[in-house]
Amino acid sequence: MSEHTKEIEKEFLEYVKKMQAYNEALGLIYWDLRTGAPKNGVDQRSEVVGMLSSEVFQMSTSEEMAAYIASLSGSENLSEITKKTLNECKKDYDRNKKIPVKDFKEYVILQSKAESVWEEARAKADFEMFQPYLEKIVKFQKKFIGYWGYEGNKYNTLLDMYEPGITVDILDQVFSEVREAIIPLVKKISESSNKPDTSFIFKHFPKDKQKEFSLKILEQMGYDFNSGRLDETVHPFATGLNPGDVRVTTRYDEEDWRTAVFGTIHEGGHALYEQNISKRLIGTPLCGGTSMGIHESQSLFYENIVGRDFSFWKHNYNVLKEYGDGQFKDIDLNDFYNAINESKPSLIRIEADMLTYPLHIIIRYEIEKGLFNDEIEVKDLPKVWNDKYEEYLGIRPENNAEGVLQDVHWSGGSFGYFPSYALGYMYAAQFKHAMLKDLPNYDELLASGNLKPIQEWLTANIHQYGKLKKPLEILHDVTGEGLNAKYLINYLTNKYTKVYNL
Amino acid sequence: MSEHTKEIEKEFLEYVKKMQAYNEALGLIYWDLRTGAPKNGVDQRSEVVGMLSSEVFQMSTSEEMAAYIASLSGSENLSEITKKTLNECKKDYDRNKKIPVKDFKEYVILQSKAESVWEEARAKADFEMFQPYLEKIVKFQKKFIGYWGYEGNKYNTLLDMYEPGITVDILDQVFSEVREAIIPLVKKISESSNKPDTSFIFKHFPKDKQKEFSLKILEQMGYDFNSGRLDETVHPFATGLNPGDVRVTTRYDEEDWRTAVFGTIHEGGHALYEQNISKRLIGTPLCGGTSMGIHESQSLFYENIVGRDFSFWKHNYNVLKEYGDGQFKDIDLNDFYNAINESKPSLIRIEADMLTYPLHIIIRYEIEKGLFNDEIEVKDLPKVWNDKYEEYLGIRPENNAEGVLQDVHWSGGSFGYFPSYALGYMYAAQFKHAMLKDLPNYDELLASGNLKPIQEWLTANIHQYGKLKKPLEILHDVTGEGLNAKYLINYLTNKYTKVYNL
């Protein structure tokens, strides 16, 4: 490599570092806005967000960036980090540059209008109010796919934004397997006379005690409080500003402690990923989870595979009792376990239990695929949606607020995002299967409150790489195979057969 | 004004708005670093601070800025805001551009080294360790004065950075009056047999109760919680990110409630200033306090002139009692009032009472002036310092940690800053005198816990203008005269004569 190229590589990395620094500042601003920023300062803060975001956007599509890409692409002997950073930048550059500025501006305005219209439409359960906006958004996205191009299926281009490597072919396969396995299971449970008593879950549990318990579990998981903190918010999230500062937020419901406890475990799973990314990647776009799906695999692994496991509660149920207000006194561990694993069909995705959840996602996937392949029209969405809920879950929304209008995603044009949630679940089950080979004492670890080896395994196999590996590359390296739905199906079948004594 | 100039004015204001946006992001990062940012993220966060600060610095000295200054200076019909924004930018530009890049770089490195050496030297009470660094810093500052030029006295150039318009001539005059008045008063108090009993101050006062009381006082002051919040920190401060987001921080000492209570009132005074700056100034460098001294006048006004006033406690002593732990039971209002106004000479500035405080400042002023007029050498500072403490306060430091090494300011090259503290106190007393003409019922307002009219008066006369008016312009507009030490002298003399029954 020539001295000249070395110099350009160095400059390029400095350039990228600046973009990351601005993104980190933005990350802190978002965290602050969602955890207690004074409301009268929000308008001006939005200006700051706008300035910083557009600076990052401009840097990602600048002539300088184009020059870096042109001079470094194909260079021999670039470091692995530079090479992969360059790929990320190039992907961004291409995606953003291919959209004419005029279209992009119109689209941004449409997005922000659509989101506020959606909010009102949902409140009024009025789909027709939202319909023209959704139609325009879909039209724009189709136009963008035209600019970007596609392979195999138009919808693949959208999937690629959230889960590189995942295609309609793959999803059709795994989702149909999952659907075929879960629907009968859900039906059997509905017909079963075994119904867990869950009434104790809704007894008063003081917020500060919930917080203390949540902190205890985070600590058990291996969350590093020198590299993070737990705050309160309305819509919980985790955010990795850098690996040394990964913050978790949660929401407390004093009449349903599951919100905070399982929510914190979920966000804690995301946070462990971000805390354990290799420090070598700091200052590059590789310093983050590799995809939405792999990220979700970490949160769902902890929330559900660990957090709703019998052995986990063997250890932690007694701890929970100490913090509770006496509501667990007459509930034995088995009854407790069955109650937190209750499953019954429901209309709202974010309130769904962990068995029916994938069906909510599959419905959205099928609809999105249909939209982008011109098989479904926006105006028909309410009916298509309701029919699918009736077919898969046996229940039908009574209005569009609890149906097609329930999620914010489409109003922001985030098509292709929903599948990540179910992919994460499949990845998680597949990782668990691989983990058991290395940690045959997995159940004992859980039963003794020793979760550290689990985090270490995930760090060694997944976390540390950040975006150095693509999702399917990680999956293959860890499990020796491609995406395979059978692990999730087995997990769910075994678990719910036992819980409901089917 | 030509269309062309209008266009440039608009562009210039956009440019400046971006700088302000970056400063706001920096402000939030600093607040976060001091109120609970996870420690492992701090190194990388410092990189972010570095990137953003140097961007702002570059923008302030760019060719683009030079071009705006050149094309807009002297333009007729610019708005007042544009004109004064331009002046601020020009001042910054000139100051920064006149220092050769090489000098500036060396100086920045020296500063950061000097601060860490100072920290160690103070811990070891070892002045000789710090001396060579301080010598270099003074040398650099003298060199800078050479680049910047000066009028009348070299030290004026440094004063001008913190308190535009204030000169050695003015300070010599007012400080000598204050000195001549306070020293005999301090002496009389030392010799008086009246010593307030302060033991009740050091009885346990739970932190959460101190917080509740502090919040109550902030509310009484007119602090808007929709435009701010109160957090905990080690070294309290207030920070105005924008007028809708002005945050106060405080420190709780459970064995001395004065720390939090008077600290919060002090920072609350700063915060009221920033919350009430006209919204027209948002996005310009005019959106902030006009000088260090005027800022300090607001905090000292509230902390001392309001917060240590008898009428204020007529209302609030009963409130305080509700929050306390029984320690005020046998203390009547008079005893309480005398105790919180205790005065006795001490060595550490930040622990000084409100009578002796100005002497600490005058000592520093005299030393700084001597240094920059080649009348004092750095190596002689410990002796000069100790002699002055003995002469003015009647006490002599036993080591340099409680003497010349106590303050951080000089290690960062902040010469010219100290006088602001005493100026603020003089401004405050002078404002109070003017306020009484408009609010003849001032004592009743305090005694009834109705502080709102006081904030409204300060907003109408001072806060709203931000940097639209210079410090002495505000002083003149509000009081009809220039800086006059007699108001502070009268205030202190009346107050302490009464407290100590002299």
Side-chain angles (χ1 to χ4, degrees), chain A residues 14 17-18 20-22 24-25 28-29 31-32 35-42 44-45 47-48 51-52 55 58 224-229 241-247 282-283, chain B residues 14 17-18 20-22 24-25 28-29 31-32 35-42 44-45 47-48 51-52 55 58 224-229 241-247 282-283:
Chain A
E14 269 304 307
K17 199 169 155 186
K18 188 169 165 185
Q20 290 310 110
Y22 287 10
E24 182 166 334
L28 182 67
I29 294 173
W31 171 84
D32 184 68
T35 56
K39 68 174 190 166
N40 291 343
V42 170
Q44 165 56 18
R45 189 65 34 79
E47 293 271 334
V48 176
M51 295 265 183
L52 280 167
E55 184 70 23
Q58 277 169 30
D224 180 356
F225 284 93
N226 285 323
S227 300
R229 47 185 282 172
L241 303 175
N242 68 56
D245 187 353
V246 181
R247 305 181 184 196
I282 291 177
Chain B
E14 270 302 309
K17 199 169 154 188
K18 188 168 165 184
Q20 290 310 112
Y22 287 10
E24 183 166 333
L28 182 67
I29 294 174
W31 170 83
D32 183 68
T35 55
K39 68 174 190 166
N40 291 343
V42 170
Q44 165 56 17
R45 190 65 35 78
E47 294 270 336
V48 176
M51 296 266 184
L52 279 167
E55 183 70 22
Q58 277 170 30
D224 179 357
F225 284 95
N226 285 324
S227 300
R229 46 185 283 172
L241 303 175
N242 68 56
D245 187 354
V246 182
R247 304 181 184 197
I282 291 178

Side-chain angles (χ1 to χ4, degrees), chain B residues 272-428:
Chain B
L272 288 183
Y273 193 176
E274 298 278 332
Q275 280 191 338
N276 293 299
I277 291 174
S278 166
K279 291 193 175 48
R280 293 184 304 138
L281 303 180
I282 291 178
T284 78
L286 309 175
C287 194
T290 189
S291 70
M292 297 305 310
I294 298 289
H295 234 306
E296 202 66 15
S297 78
Q298 300 307 293
S299 52
L300 287 175
F301 181 85
Y302 276 100
E303 179 192 347
N304 202 38
I305 298 184
V306 170
R308 284 192 180 85
D309 186 277
F310 191 78
S311 297
F312 176 82
W313 289 105
K314 259 192 198 165
H315 178 81
N316 285 307
Y317 189 39
N318 283 328
V319 186
L320 182 68
K321 278 179 177 172
E322 283 170 34
Y323 293 91
D325 225 7
Q327 62 266 65
F328 306 113
K329 199 164 44 89
D330 302 321
I331 312 293
D332 72 19
L333 178 58
N334 274 307
D335 294 339
F336 174 84
Y337 173 74
N338 290 340
I340 61 166
N341 284 294
E342 184 193 32
S343 171
K344 64 177 180 215
S346 61
L347 293 168
I348 304 294
R349 177 183 61 86
I350 58 166
E351 294 166 6
D353 63 76
M354 298 312 291
L355 173 62
T356 56
Y357 189 81
L359 296 175
H360 291 262
I361 298 305
I362 292 172
I363 289 170
R364 285 155 178 78
Y365 165 69
E366 291 174 354
I367 290 175
E368 290 189 351
K369 190 180 66 164
L371 279 172
F372 286 93
N373 286 284
D374 302 315
E375 292 154 359
I376 298 175
E377 284 185 64
V378 168
K379 71 172 170 50
D380 299 325
L381 283 183
K383 186 176 178 319
V384 176
W385 182 285
N386 294 349
D387 287 351
K388 283 191 185 283
Y389 265 79
E390 192 155 5
E391 187 186 347
Y392 298 170
L393 285 151
I395 49 175
R396 193 175 182 91
E398 290 191 6
N399 62 58
N400 290 321
E402 56 182 34
V404 68
L405 287 173
Q406 68 182 264
D407 294 307
V408 68
H409 303 59
W410 292 346
S411 75
S414 300
F415 295 97
Y417 188 122
F418 282 123
S420 321
Y421 295 118
L423 281 166
Y425 209 3
M426 284 186 269
Y427 293 149

Side-chain angles (χ1 to χ4, degrees), chain A residues 329-441:
Chain A
K329 200 164 42 90
D330 301 322
I331 312 293
D332 72 18
L333 177 57
N334 272 308
D335 292 339
F336 175 84
Y337 173 75
N338 289 341
I340 62 167
N341 283 296
E342 185 194 31
S343 171
K344 64 176 179 213
S346 61
L347 293 168
I348 304 293
R349 176 182 61 85
I350 58 166
E351 293 165 6
D353 64 77
M354 298 311 292
L355 172 63
T356 56
Y357 190 79
L359 294 175
H360 291 262
I361 298 306
I362 291 171
I363 289 171
R364 286 155 178 78
Y365 164 70
E366 292 173 352
I367 290 175
E368 291 189 350
K369 192 181 63 164
L371 279 172
F372 287 93
N373 287 285
D374 302 315
E375 293 155 359
I376 298 177
E377 282 186 65
V378 168
K379 70 171 170 51
D380 299 325
L381 282 183
K383 183 174 182 318
V384 175
W385 181 285
N386 294 349
D387 288 349
K388 282 191 187 282
Y389 265 78
E390 194 157 2
E391 185 186 349
Y392 297 170
L393 285 151
I395 49 177
R396 193 174 181 92
E398 291 191 5
N399 61 59
N400 290 321
E402 56 182 33
V404 67
L405 287 173
Q406 68 181 267
D407 294 306
V408 68
H409 302 60
W410 292 346
S411 76
S414 300
F415 295 97
Y417 188 119
F418 280 123
S420 320
Y421 295 117
L423 281 166
Y425 209 3
M426 284 187 267
Y427 293 150
Q430 202 165 334
F431 288 147
K432 159 86 187 289
H433 184 80
M435 184 188 285
L436 283 181
K437 291 179 197 154
D438 295 328
L439 298 176
N441 60 340

Side-chain angles (χ1 to χ4, degrees), chain B residues 11 15 59 62-69:
Chain B
E11 270 177 33
Y15 187 81
M59 287 181 80
S62 66
E63 286 175 23
E64 224 172 324
M65 178 60 89
Y68 287 129
I69 294 170

